Amino acid sequence: MSLTYSDLIAQTRSAIREVTLDALKARIEACEDFVLLDVREKEEYRGGYIPCAVNIPRGFLEMQIEGKIPDRSAKIVVICAGGVRSALAAVTLQNLGYANVESANPGFVRWKDLGYPVATPPQLTDAQRDRYSRHLLLPEVGETGQAKLLQSKVLLIGAGGLGSPAGLYLAAAGVGTLGIVDADVVDASNLQRQILHATSRVGMAKVDSAAKAIADLNPDVKVVPHKERVTKENVDRLFSAYDVIVDGTDNFPTRYLVNDASVLLGKPVVHGSIFRFDGQVTTFLPPKAAKTLGLKAGPCYRCLYPEPPPPHLAPSCQEAGVLGILPGIVGVVQATEAIKLILGKGEPLVGRLLTYDSLKMKFRELKLRPDPHCAVCSEHATITEYIDYEGFCSL
């Protein structure tokens, strides 16, 4: 005997547990451990949602549920607009092995009418939803995370080997504002590794060349060119407007200055360096920045290198050479670290140094610890203002 629609819904509801909206609200306020799963369509969800809800449209439930809720023992409350789709979704979840599933009845429309808390997702344009569609599919990013990226500001120190891949991928990801600091011009010898630039732009200021490449890649991104070197006179001005600093410098005076400014101003710095066939990346998170991000602070650059090495032990890439592809690897890792900091996801390389040997194709991780006697980040810091870094590094 065929079932009518009413029979099907009645049978479905008899096979699941339902929860009232008042009970659901009480659970949320009590911070109970459960997942609120909203199975309305994306267009409905964009009109408003319960703040803690995870959205999987009903038509994608079977396809996406394991990625967003892998634990089949998790407590789940399903909600839709009126209580019908959530009931059908609850049965589907039970059939997939999810043991603790309930359906909210009635649904979101009634929740909103009662004046209960409602959030509105960031309003991305249709063009942005298309451009960042692969990000929007990631539960760790989604529309909220993409909006964070679009609102974020990252400063690239250097538009060279490391700044090139980092800048391109940060722009492609939708970082809203990219400041680029570089006083140099594009030279033909740069093109072996500095992929932001092109033969047609040899002789052009690197910041202008970078702005041209990024504008062509992603018009959402505002590029702020700073055609100057980082000095102790301008570092406060340069750093103050940005959330994250990506350090792609190739000289010790600037590295020490960037480090000291990051500690004094509370700015996270993603540090990268390359030499011949080797590279390394770490993230320096000073106490002020760690508190803002809700993370544990780590060592600073001076904890690793209290003093610069003698010049004969640290020749520049111009003197020693560098494999052209190497900065691509290191710069992309730097961009990844910056995006993780912006999104507040994953474990950044704080207190860890990632090294890369391209000849052996090996990555290694070294633990880093704060120096209790560090001159700039310890409780007994002796450096509380900027010093003569050229003089310091030439000693």
Side-chain angles (χ1 to χ4, degrees):
M1 180 179 176
S2 300
L3 294 175
T4 65
Y5 173 76
S6 298
D7 293 335
L8 176 62
I9 297 304
Q11 186 181 85
T12 298
R13 284 192 163 136
S14 67
I16 61 171
R17 300 191 307 275
E18 293 190 319
V19 59
T20 66
L21 297 182
D22 288 339
L24 176 59
K25 181 172 179 288
R27 291 185 191 181
I28 294 173
E29 291 174 344
C31 298
E32 288 190 16
D33 185 18
F34 73 97
V35 179
L36 179 60
L37 177 61
D38 189 330
V39 294
R40 294 175 300 149
E41 297 302 310
K42 288 289 186 184
E43 290 73 18
E44 297 174 279
Y45 187 78
R46 292 186 187 115
Y49 61 94
I50 300 174
C52 59
V54 173
N55 178 233
I56 303 178
R58 176 66 189 88
F60 294 90
L61 184 63
E62 294 85 349
M63 187 186 310
Q64 297 182 7
I65 187 63
E66 291 182 0
K68 292 191 176 183
I69 311 178
D71 182 6
R72 282 179 164 75
S73 65
K75 294 180 179 179
I76 301 173
V77 175
V78 190
I79 192 168
C80 65
V84 173
R85 282 174 291 175
S86 61
L88 295 169
V91 170
T92 298
L93 291 175
Q94 289 177 347
N95 292 336
L96 290 173
Y98 289 86
N100 298 306
V101 184
E102 296 174 290
S103 172
N105 186 28
F108 179 78
V109 173
R110 181 58 178 160
W111 175 280
K112 187 175 181 180
D113 289 344
L114 291 169
Y116 291 166
V118 173
T120 303
Q123 300 302 308
L124 303 181
T125 65
D126 290 340
Q128 288 172 332
R129 291 194 187 97
D130 185 35
R131 176 180 289 270
Y132 307 117
S133 60
R134 301 305 186 272
H135 271 178
L136 304 186
L137 293 173
L138 296 171
E140 294 83 0
V141 183
E143 293 192 9
T144 300
Q146 189 60 54
K148 285 184 179 180
L149 290 171
L150 289 165
Q151 294 163 5
S152 67
K153 298 179 179 181
V154 175
L155 181 66
L156 293 177
I157 309 295
L162 296 176
S164 288
L168 286 172
Y169 271 101
L170 289 170
V175 167
T177 301
L178 275 178
I180 304 176
V181 185
D182 202 305
D184 205 357
V185 298
V186 180
D187 184 83
S189 66
N190 302 148
L191 303 180
Q192 163 249 17
R193 64 200 176 281
Q194 299 181 18
I195 58 175
L196 259 176
H197 313 300
T199 302
S200 62
R201 299 198 292 276
V202 168
M204 182 183 291
K206 284 187 178 180
V207 292
D208 296 331
S209 173
K212 182 177 177 63
I214 289 171
D216 193 42
L217 174 64
N218 188 352
D220 280 345
V221 180
K222 176 185 177 183
V223 177
V224 182
H226 301 280
K227 191 179 179 181
E228 55 190 315
R229 290 183 58 204
V230 181
T231 67
K232 63 181 183 179
E233 285 75 27
N234 65 15
V235 67
D236 285 354
R237 168 176 58 82
L238 291 172
F239 279 27
S240 61
Y242 296 93
D243 308 312
V244 179
I245 313 300
V246 175
D247 179 14
T249 57
D250 60 358
N251 66 87
F252 286 104
T254 307
R255 286 176 184 169
Y256 282 97
L257 173 58
V258 167
N259 175 77
D260 295 356
S262 79
V263 175
L264 296 176
L265 299 175
K267 300 288 184 177
V269 171
V270 183
H271 168 78
S273 62
I274 52 175
F275 178 70
R276 291 173 57 82
F277 298 96
D278 302 324
Q280 60 183 30
V281 184
T282 188
T283 294
F284 298 121
L285 193 63
K288 291 179 184 177
K291 185 176 181 181
T292 301
L293 296 172
L295 297 171
K296 184 178 179 180
C300 75
Y301 187 78
R302 283 183 184 268
C303 294
L304 276 68
Y305 309 108
E307 297 178 354
H312 69 278
L313 293 181
S316 68
C317 291
Q318 185 174 356
E319 298 167 316
V322 62
L323 182 67
I325 195 67
L326 179 64
I329 303 292
V330 175
V332 167
V333 174
Q334 287 183 276
T336 305
E337 284 290 287
I339 287 174
K340 284 160 54 183
L341 290 172
I342 294 166
L343 294 176
K345 300 294 183 181
E347 298 180 15
L349 286 168
V350 178
R352 297 183 291 150
L353 180 69
L354 185 68
T355 67
Y356 172 57
D357 181 338
S358 63
L359 290 180
K360 296 180 180 178
M361 195 53 70
K362 283 188 177 182
F363 286 90
R364 294 180 61 202
E365 183 181 296
L366 306 176
K367 294 292 185 182
L368 306 177
R369 292 179 175 82
D371 179 357
H373 305 293
C374 178
V376 71
C377 76
S378 71
E379 294 181 357
H380 311 290
T382 56
I383 296 176
T384 57
E385 58 185 20
Y386 306 125
I387 64 172
D388 178 5
Y389 294 93
E390 296 286 351
F392 170 69
C393 291
S394 66
L395 292 176

